[in-house]
Each structure stands twice: as C-alpha cells, then as structure tokens.
Amino acid sequence: MSASECVWLCIALLILSASAEGEPGSGIKVVASEGSDIILPCSLSTKENIEQKLFDWKKVGPNKQEVFMYDAGTHYNNGRPGQDKNFNRRVSHFPLELQFGNASIVIRNTKMNDSGDYMCVFPRLQPEQTFNIQLVWRDSDGNILPAEEPQVSHTGERYDITLLTTVTRTNSNVFHCVATQEELSHRTEDKLYVPYCATAPKPDITVLGGTESGVKLKCHVGHVYPEPKLQWKDSDGNVLPAENPQVSEREGHYNVTLWTTVTPTKTNCFHCVVKQEGSYQVIDQKIILSENLFKRTSEQVITGWMVGWVIGFLSFASLQLVLIVAKCITIRFNRASGCFGSKNSPSEDPSATGSATSTGKLNTLNNGSVV
C-alpha cells in the first residue's frame, strides 16, 4: 500500500469512526462500490482500551453470518474458528486502534451479496453495546447517477415508475437501479452490465512462408485493452486450428500473436478475427493468398524431398566406396550369372579346396593386418 493510499485510508477511517460514535444502537449507512475495499465503522464513545475486550461482527439476516470476532487478542485471522466462509481471508481489523476503543473492520473485494445489515456487538460490556451498520450499493463505483425526471403513472393504489439515465464508461460498466419504499422499509435493486465499443486497431497479418503442411500465417494485435481474443477463420466462417497464442502485457495493455497453417480453399481467403470481452464490436482483417503461393510451396516440398533422396543415395554410395578402399569388404563379378557377389559367397561349398585359406585371409583382414 502506497503512502497516499494509507493516508486516504486513515482519513476515511476517522470520518466513518466519528460518525459511528454516539449512542449504542444508532444506525450508519455505508455506500460501497463492488470490488472495492470498504470500512465498517464501530467505535466506543468512551474511547476506552478494548485490547482485552470481546467484540463480534455479525451480518444480520435470515442466515446470520459470523463476519469477524476478536477476543483479547485471538481472532479469526490468527486461528480462531467459526468465521463464515464467505468472509474468510477478506476481513481484518485495526490492531493499533484498539487502545482507542476502535473496533472497525475492513472488508476487501466487496461483492453484491455482502450488502445488508451488520451488527458490531460488545456482549461483555455493562450494559451490552450494539452498533448497526447498513452496507448498500448504487452503481459499481458507488456514485448516484444523474437522471431525468421520473415518469409516474398509477392505477388505483399501484404505481408504475420509469427513470431514464445516460451513462458513460466506468471501470466495470455495471450499473444498478435501486427502488426504495420508505414507508414499508423495503428496498430492492437490479444490476445491468453495459458493453462498450472496442477501440482496438486492426490486426496485422504476415505470410511466413510454406511448410510441408501448407502456408503459415501470423496475426498480431498490439497495445490493446482489455485482452483480446484472436481466431483464424476461412471464408465460410469456420474456425481454423491454430497454435497456442503468445500473450504479453505491459502497463495494462496486451500484445497477442496467433499462428496458423492453411491449405488451399475455393477462395484462398482467410480472416483474423479480434474480439474483446464486454464489447459488441468484432474487428476483422482478411488476406487472400495467390494460388501460385501454394504451388510454389508444393514444388519446394517436392524439390526438398528429391534433394534429400539424392543426398542420401550419394552418402550411401560414398560409404560403400570407403569400405571397399579400406578392404573391409570385397566385391567380385560372377560372369556366369552376371551379378555382383562376395568372394566368399554362401552358395560355395565351405568344404571345397581353398576355403580354409580364404577364411584365414578374411580373418586377417578383419584384424586390420595387411596380407
């Protein structure tokens, strides 16, 4: 946490704690924005030290939830059991403020279901003291938005109300409509997510060249927020198989690259499609490949195969020649059959005259001696 954030937090704590002081049972309303960190204030007007006291935070409702309990140094964040799992690792207190009677807590990364009524109770004080805090939302940033005059109509005792507002882009683009019936102490709300138009640039497409499988293409989008999703498609809108995208991020903006290898189609037209979460806009960049590019690719593959075959054959022939020169093998021509064969052909009778001499010479050659 930076120094400026720390100062702001301390100021907010002092303001809210001051408003919490007074007669026990008094109610406080705290307006929060979804996803933010908020402070629920609770402080004794006597300012007495509560380091060895017990205070308990509960959420009031049909299903009561244990939010945070402190008892003379033990609490839910240092081993004490019993905290509701919804608040696990999200709630903390202010240890240095306990000596001044401050039992306020912080709820981090607030959620919609956190809204409701809370109680801060000192059950061992005489008399027992209870503080009530209401946590509510307006829009996702906690602001009450300007709106036109409401349109009201009624039939008998039933009312229909329409309220119009114009919104601009926010951090989350979530907006809440809140309806309150004060006489019945009833409040209800609904939220709406408003997508925005993306401003990402068109992607860059690069032809990387031919491979054995086809022509390899690269699509790149740079310096974009939020993170874009890239797809390769053919002219019929079919998603083409692609490699895993390469994604990098710098200062909140993203660079994404996606590769694919394509084969000839009826049109040889291929599209790189960019989508961004929360946006209706789809950005499309296409490329049409020449038929000759695929022909050249095939010719390159065939030529490469032939060159490889020739090189392999020449290598084998060279190896045979080296072995003959080194007298590791001998070749003779059989005039009767017109075929090549070794001097010691398996068809010859090993018991014939001179076979032992030939075997001896062969063993001498294998031992590396000159005959």
Side-chain angles (χ1 to χ4, degrees):
M1 181 181 293
S2 64
S4 59
E5 292 175 333
C6 183
V7 171
W8 180 89
L9 182 63
C10 292
I11 293 175
L13 176 60
L14 291 175
I15 293 174
L16 293 175
S17 296
S19 64
E21 293 176 3
E23 294 298 324
S26 59
I28 299 168
K29 180 181 290 187
V30 176
V31 179
S33 59
E34 190 172 11
S36 64
D37 298 344
I38 56 97
I39 298 174
L40 296 185
C42 178
S43 186
L44 296 177
S45 58
T46 58
K47 307 282 189 186
E48 64 179 287
N49 190 322
I50 58 172
E51 291 177 318
Q52 300 302 316
K53 305 291 185 182
L54 167 68
F55 62 87
D56 188 13
W57 279 92
K58 300 177 182 287
K59 186 178 180 185
V60 183
N63 299 319
K64 290 186 177 180
Q65 295 175 300
E66 275 292 334
V67 179
F68 187 82
M69 178 181 288
Y70 175 95
D71 187 5
T74 63
H75 50 80
Y76 289 149
N77 291 338
N78 65 5
R80 187 182 185 90
Q83 186 179 34
D84 189 276
K85 63 180 181 180
N86 180 56
F87 296 98
N88 187 30
R89 300 181 181 276
R90 296 175 53 221
V91 184
S92 60
H93 68 304
F94 298 90
L96 298 181
E97 294 291 319
L98 296 175
Q99 58 183 317
F100 305 112
N102 189 344
S104 302
I105 58 173
V106 178
I107 300 180
R108 293 181 172 80
N109 190 25
T110 52
K111 308 173 184 177
M112 277 300 301
N113 58 6
D114 290 337
S115 60
D117 296 324
Y118 291 77
M119 294 175 54
C120 174
V121 183
F122 290 86
R124 295 177 183 170
L125 292 183
Q126 296 297 330
E128 176 182 294
Q129 296 194 27
T130 302
F131 298 86
N132 299 311
I133 296 90
Q134 184 182 25
L135 180 60
V136 299
W137 269 265
R138 289 293 186 264
D139 66 354
S140 60
D141 294 322
N143 303 313
I144 297 177
L145 304 177
E148 302 177 12
E149 288 295 323
Q151 302 174 13
V152 182
S153 62
H154 65 90
T155 302
E157 297 182 352
R158 295 184 177 276
Y159 289 82
D160 294 318
I161 301 177
T162 302
L163 186 63
L164 303 178
T165 187
T166 301
V167 298
T168 56
R169 182 177 173 181
T170 65
N171 293 331
S172 64
N173 288 338
V174 178
F175 302 92
H176 300 257
C177 180
V178 182
T180 304
Q181 295 174 288
E182 295 182 355
E183 293 182 357
L184 301 177
S185 299
H186 179 70
R187 177 180 176 276
T188 186
E189 67 177 84
D190 198 2
K191 66 178 180 178
L192 174 68
Y193 174 72
V194 181
Y196 62 91
C197 292
T199 58
K202 282 193 173 183
D204 295 323
I205 295 178
T206 305
V207 179
L208 298 179
T211 67
E212 293 183 1
S213 304
V215 177
K216 191 169 186 178
L217 302 177
K218 180 181 79 170
C219 179
H220 175 77
V221 176
H223 201 67
V224 177
Y225 176 83
E227 180 181 344
K229 304 297 181 184
L230 274 60
Q231 285 183 321
W232 277 104
K233 294 185 177 181
D234 60 17
S235 57
D236 295 325
N238 301 312
V239 178
L240 302 176
E243 301 177 16
N244 291 329
Q246 177 181 316
V247 182
S248 62
E249 183 267 338
R250 183 177 180 182
E251 297 180 352
H253 290 79
Y254 293 86
N255 300 300
V256 183
T257 304
L258 186 66
W259 296 269
T260 188
T261 300
V262 297
T263 54
T265 65
K266 294 179 180 179
T267 62
N268 287 336
C269 181
F270 305 95
H271 299 254
C272 180
V273 181
V274 182
K275 295 182 180 180
Q276 288 178 278
E277 184 179 356
S279 173
Y280 287 127
Q281 187 177 6
V282 176
I283 304 172
D284 187 310
Q285 183 76 326
K286 69 179 180 179
I287 185 172
I288 300 177
L289 301 180
S290 169
E291 186 71 27
N292 292 331
L293 181 61
F294 290 102
K295 289 182 179 179
R296 289 199 302 269
T297 299
S298 300
E299 292 172 356
Q300 290 171 358
V301 172
I302 294 173
T303 302
W305 181 84
M306 293 181 64
V307 170
W309 186 87
V310 171
I311 292 175
F313 177 79
L314 293 176
S315 299
F316 177 77
S318 300
L319 177 61
Q320 294 292 322
L321 182 59
V322 170
L323 292 175
I324 292 172
V325 172
K327 296 183 179 181
C328 293
I329 62 174
T330 57
I331 304 295
R332 72 176 179 83
F333 184 74
N334 189 328
R335 298 182 183 217
S337 63
C339 299
F340 286 102
S342 66
K343 285 187 177 179
N344 297 314
S345 173
S347 63
E348 296 178 350
D349 184 1
S351 63
T353 304
S355 61
T357 304
S358 299
T359 304
K361 291 182 178 180
L362 180 60
N363 290 335
T364 303
L365 287 174
N366 288 336
N367 291 331
S369 301
V370 178
V371 179

